[in-house]
């Protein structure tokens, strides 16, 4: 299948392109390289023996998207392109609503013009805000607590309204929990610009000596060790979830919503200890005050993804840590190494 992958040069998109190529699909990437590097294409080729199509451009540019969709005879779209830092979204809300919401709106307009009616969209567990209980079901209330989460929930709402008015379309919303890890070759992984905003890349950089110490935000949550608990999922499992979503939903008109996680949680201290055990290094850390908007516990109910997509995350926490560390050691400065 010819699949347009917006944001396919990024962390989750690049791993998904690898799995698409391995499964015999033809991904065409559209990316503005605002948070990724051209070298990703060489790395994908090295791993799969095939090079995905790549067109430099922005998802907010409807005319450009129509041309790409028509020229490459695209049959389906996976939409990763967007910005993703909760903290930054508080200070730069326009950037978040523009890239995430306006970008998605323009993409749908372009798909409609080019008569492409199947979409898989990258949403986030952030849309659940602070849930009343765990594990989180897809039917839980949508109550995001920051501009990033609101930009995602607005896209979800828009896509549901749009599909309602266009019943032949198939739209799948995937709510990711916390993707970590890297390809086991060590050639592709997460390459944050500047200071990482996620826990695991931060730990990896401290372990490697690039950063002095890890700040843990709060150790007085209602959890066994007092630190926050999240559902960490291997990025390659997550990539496989996109293939499952593509295959299962392309011929099933409607709006489909799935959590993608492992269904179990690990605390910050558990992740830190697992990293120390694997790397055989001591990772310095200090306890800082809670961060505004952070929640105590968040993990997914993944029953629907198991049942309907026949998808299940199979990689263990030890594998996630091993692959993260391998990527860090092989690429001390990310793709600029
Ligand atoms: N990584 C996570 O923890 C996480 C969790 C939940 C949801 N998500 C969502 O998944 C998607 C992918 O995340 P990721 O971790 O791979 O992020 P990423 O930043 O690594 O990848 C996003 C890619 O999109 C590109 N991009 C950004 N704005 C664009 C635009 N306007 N036009 C064209 N390209 C653009 C960037 O250059 C980058 O290559 C995002 O939508 C993100 O919000 C990520």
């Amino acid at each position: 299948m010819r699949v347009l992958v917006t944001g396919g040069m990024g962390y989750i998109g690049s791993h998904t392109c690898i799995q698409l190529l391995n499964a015999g699909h033809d991904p065409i990437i559209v990316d503005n390289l605002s948070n990724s590097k051209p070298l990703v294409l060489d790395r994908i080729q090295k791993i799969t023996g095939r090079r995905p199509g790549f067109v430099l451009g922005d998802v907010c540019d409807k005319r450009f998207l129509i041309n790409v969709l028509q020229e490459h005879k695209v049959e389906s779209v996976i939409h990763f392109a967007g910005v993703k830092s909760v903290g930054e979204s508080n200070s730069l809300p326009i950037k978040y609503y523009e890239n995430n919401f306006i970008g998605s709106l323009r993409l749908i307009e372009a798909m409609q013009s080019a008569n492409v009616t199947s979409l898989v969209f990258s949403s986030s567990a952030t849309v659940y805000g602070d849930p009343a209980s765990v594990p989180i079901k897809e039917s839980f209330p949508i109550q995001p607590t920051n501009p990033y989460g609101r930009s995602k929930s607005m896209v979800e709402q828009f896509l549901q309204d749009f599909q309602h008015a266009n019943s032949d379309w198939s739209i799948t919303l995937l709510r990711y929990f916390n993707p970590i890890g890297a390809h086991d070759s060590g050639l592709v992984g997460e390459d944050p610009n500047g200071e990482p905003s996620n826990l695991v890349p931060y730990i990896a950089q401290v372990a490697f000596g690039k950063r002095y110490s890890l700040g843990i935000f709060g150790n007085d949550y209602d959890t066994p060790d007092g630190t926050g608990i999240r559902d960490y999922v291997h990025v390659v499992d997550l990539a496989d979830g996109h293939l499952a979503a593509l295959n299962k939903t392309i011929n099933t008109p409607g709006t489909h919503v799935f959590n993608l996680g492992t269904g179990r949680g690990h605390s910050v201290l558990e992740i830190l200890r697992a990293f120390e055990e694997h790397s055989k290094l001591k990772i310095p850390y200090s306890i800082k005050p809670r961060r505004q908007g952070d929640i105590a516990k968040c993990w997914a109910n993944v029953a629907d993804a198991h049942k309907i997509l026949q998808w299940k995350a199979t990689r263990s926490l030890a594998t996630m840590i091993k692959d993260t560390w391998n990527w860090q050691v092989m690429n001390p400065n990310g793709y600029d190494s």
Side-chain angles (χ1 to χ4, degrees), residues 179-196:
I180 61 169
H183 193 266
D184 62 6
S185 62
L187 292 172
V188 173
E190 186 167 13
D191 182 15
N193 265 340
E195 190 174 343

mmCIF file of all heavy atoms in Angstrom, residues 179-196:
data_model
loop_
_atom_site.group_PDB
_atom_site.id
_atom_site.type_symbol
_atom_site.label_atom_id
_atom_site.label_comp_id
_atom_site.label_asym_id
_atom_site.label_seq_id
_atom_site.Cartn_x
_atom_site.Cartn_y
_atom_site.Cartn_z
ATOM 1 N N PRO A 179 6.047 6.169 24.680
ATOM 2 C CA PRO A 179 6.980 5.424 23.840
ATOM 3 C C PRO A 179 8.431 5.665 24.260
ATOM 4 O O PRO A 179 8.836 6.813 24.475
ATOM 5 C CB PRO A 179 6.726 5.976 22.432
ATOM 6 C CG PRO A 179 5.941 7.227 22.597
ATOM 7 C CD PRO A 179 5.355 7.245 23.962
ATOM 8 N N ILE A 180 9.180 4.569 24.390
ATOM 9 C CA ILE A 180 10.621 4.676 24.672
ATOM 10 C C ILE A 180 11.334 3.598 23.856
ATOM 11 O O ILE A 180 10.703 2.852 23.113
ATOM 12 C CB ILE A 180 10.954 4.542 26.181
ATOM 13 C CG1 ILE A 180 10.522 3.181 26.729
ATOM 14 C CG2 ILE A 180 10.321 5.657 26.982
ATOM 15 C CD1 ILE A 180 11.060 2.887 28.132
ATOM 16 N N GLY A 181 12.661 3.507 24.008
ATOM 17 C CA GLY A 181 13.421 2.494 23.288
ATOM 18 C C GLY A 181 13.849 2.999 21.923
ATOM 19 O O GLY A 181 13.685 4.180 21.585
ATOM 20 N N ALA A 182 14.425 2.088 21.157
ATOM 21 C CA ALA A 182 14.959 2.441 19.842
ATOM 22 C C ALA A 182 15.024 1.168 19.019
ATOM 23 O O ALA A 182 14.838 0.065 19.559
ATOM 24 C CB ALA A 182 16.367 3.030 20.007
ATOM 25 N N HIS A 183 15.324 1.304 17.725
ATOM 26 C CA HIS A 183 15.486 0.114 16.891
ATOM 27 C C HIS A 183 16.668 -0.705 17.421
ATOM 28 O O HIS A 183 17.686 -0.120 17.831
ATOM 29 C CB HIS A 183 15.724 0.530 15.435
ATOM 30 C CG HIS A 183 15.582 -0.617 14.496
ATOM 31 N ND1 HIS A 183 16.651 -1.367 14.076
ATOM 32 C CD2 HIS A 183 14.481 -1.169 13.942
ATOM 33 C CE1 HIS A 183 16.211 -2.324 13.271
ATOM 34 N NE2 HIS A 183 14.899 -2.229 13.171
ATOM 35 N N ASP A 184 16.557 -2.041 17.387
ATOM 36 C CA ASP A 184 17.619 -2.837 18.031
ATOM 37 C C ASP A 184 18.953 -2.780 17.282
ATOM 38 O O ASP A 184 19.989 -3.179 17.818
ATOM 39 C CB ASP A 184 17.173 -4.286 18.305
ATOM 40 C CG ASP A 184 16.845 -5.048 17.034
ATOM 41 O OD1 ASP A 184 17.060 -4.502 15.933
ATOM 42 O OD2 ASP A 184 16.369 -6.196 17.139
ATOM 43 N N SER A 185 18.958 -2.245 16.071
ATOM 44 C CA SER A 185 20.225 -2.043 15.344
ATOM 45 C C SER A 185 21.028 -0.891 15.943
ATOM 46 O O SER A 185 22.218 -0.751 15.668
ATOM 47 C CB SER A 185 19.914 -1.695 13.885
ATOM 48 O OG SER A 185 19.186 -0.471 13.834
ATOM 49 N N GLY A 186 20.378 -0.015 16.717
ATOM 50 C CA GLY A 186 21.038 1.191 17.228
ATOM 51 C C GLY A 186 21.178 2.276 16.177
ATOM 52 O O GLY A 186 21.820 3.307 16.409
ATOM 53 N N LEU A 187 20.554 2.090 15.014
ATOM 54 C CA LEU A 187 20.709 3.076 13.926
ATOM 55 C C LEU A 187 19.633 4.154 13.952
ATOM 56 O O LEU A 187 19.805 5.232 13.375
ATOM 57 C CB LEU A 187 20.684 2.357 12.567
ATOM 58 C CG LEU A 187 21.881 1.453 12.274
ATOM 59 C CD1 LEU A 187 21.654 0.645 11.004
ATOM 60 C CD2 LEU A 187 23.150 2.295 12.144
ATOM 61 N N VAL A 188 18.504 3.853 14.563
ATOM 62 C CA VAL A 188 17.391 4.808 14.604
ATOM 63 C C VAL A 188 16.896 4.880 16.045
ATOM 64 O O VAL A 188 16.773 3.854 16.715
ATOM 65 C CB VAL A 188 16.252 4.353 13.647
ATOM 66 C CG1 VAL A 188 15.031 5.233 13.790
ATOM 67 C CG2 VAL A 188 16.727 4.368 12.201
ATOM 68 N N GLY A 189 16.638 6.102 16.514
ATOM 69 C CA GLY A 189 16.170 6.265 17.890
ATOM 70 C C GLY A 189 15.674 7.684 18.107
ATOM 71 O O GLY A 189 15.493 8.443 17.153
ATOM 72 N N GLU A 190 15.486 8.044 19.377
ATOM 73 C CA GLU A 190 14.961 9.382 19.694
ATOM 74 C C GLU A 190 16.126 10.355 19.816
ATOM 75 O O GLU A 190 17.075 10.108 20.560
ATOM 76 C CB GLU A 190 14.171 9.323 21.009
ATOM 77 C CG GLU A 190 13.487 10.638 21.327
ATOM 78 C CD GLU A 190 12.455 10.530 22.445
ATOM 79 O OE1 GLU A 190 12.418 9.511 23.140
ATOM 80 O OE2 GLU A 190 11.697 11.508 22.611
ATOM 81 N N ASP A 191 16.023 11.467 19.091
ATOM 82 C CA ASP A 191 17.120 12.451 19.039
ATOM 83 C C ASP A 191 16.564 13.824 19.407
ATOM 84 O O ASP A 191 16.307 14.651 18.546
ATOM 85 C CB ASP A 191 17.695 12.446 17.610
ATOM 86 C CG ASP A 191 18.875 13.401 17.464
ATOM 87 O OD1 ASP A 191 19.428 13.833 18.495
ATOM 88 O OD2 ASP A 191 19.237 13.711 16.307
ATOM 89 N N PRO A 192 16.352 14.054 20.712
ATOM 90 C CA PRO A 192 15.710 15.317 21.102
ATOM 91 C C PRO A 192 16.588 16.525 20.801
ATOM 92 O O PRO A 192 17.813 16.453 20.927
ATOM 93 C CB PRO A 192 15.490 15.171 22.614
ATOM 94 C CG PRO A 192 16.209 13.949 23.046
ATOM 95 C CD PRO A 192 16.703 13.211 21.854
ATOM 96 N N ASN A 193 15.947 17.599 20.406
ATOM 97 C CA ASN A 193 16.630 18.880 20.207
ATOM 98 C C ASN A 193 16.889 19.484 21.581
ATOM 99 O O ASN A 193 15.954 19.745 22.318
ATOM 100 C CB ASN A 193 15.699 19.857 19.460
ATOM 101 C CG ASN A 193 15.954 19.849 17.975
ATOM 102 O OD1 ASN A 193 17.004 19.433 17.519
ATOM 103 N ND2 ASN A 193 14.968 20.321 17.207
ATOM 104 N N GLY A 194 18.144 19.701 21.950
ATOM 105 C CA GLY A 194 18.426 20.339 23.248
ATOM 106 C C GLY A 194 18.091 19.428 24.406
ATOM 107 O O GLY A 194 18.247 18.203 24.326
ATOM 108 N N GLU A 195 17.591 20.029 25.485
ATOM 109 C CA GLU A 195 17.330 19.269 26.706
ATOM 110 C C GLU A 195 16.117 18.361 26.509
ATOM 111 O O GLU A 195 15.043 18.839 26.125
ATOM 112 C CB GLU A 195 17.064 20.249 27.856
ATOM 113 C CG GLU A 195 17.018 19.562 29.191
ATOM 114 C CD GLU A 195 16.898 20.569 30.349
ATOM 115 O OE1 GLU A 195 17.179 21.768 30.137
ATOM 116 O OE2 GLU A 195 16.511 20.132 31.445
ATOM 117 N N PRO A 196 16.262 17.050 26.770
ATOM 118 C CA PRO A 196 15.115 16.153 26.564
ATOM 119 C C PRO A 196 13.968 16.525 27.498
ATOM 120 O O PRO A 196 14.192 16.866 28.659
ATOM 121 C CB PRO A 196 15.658 14.769 26.919
ATOM 122 C CG PRO A 196 17.145 14.897 26.937
ATOM 123 C CD PRO A 196 17.450 16.325 27.246
#
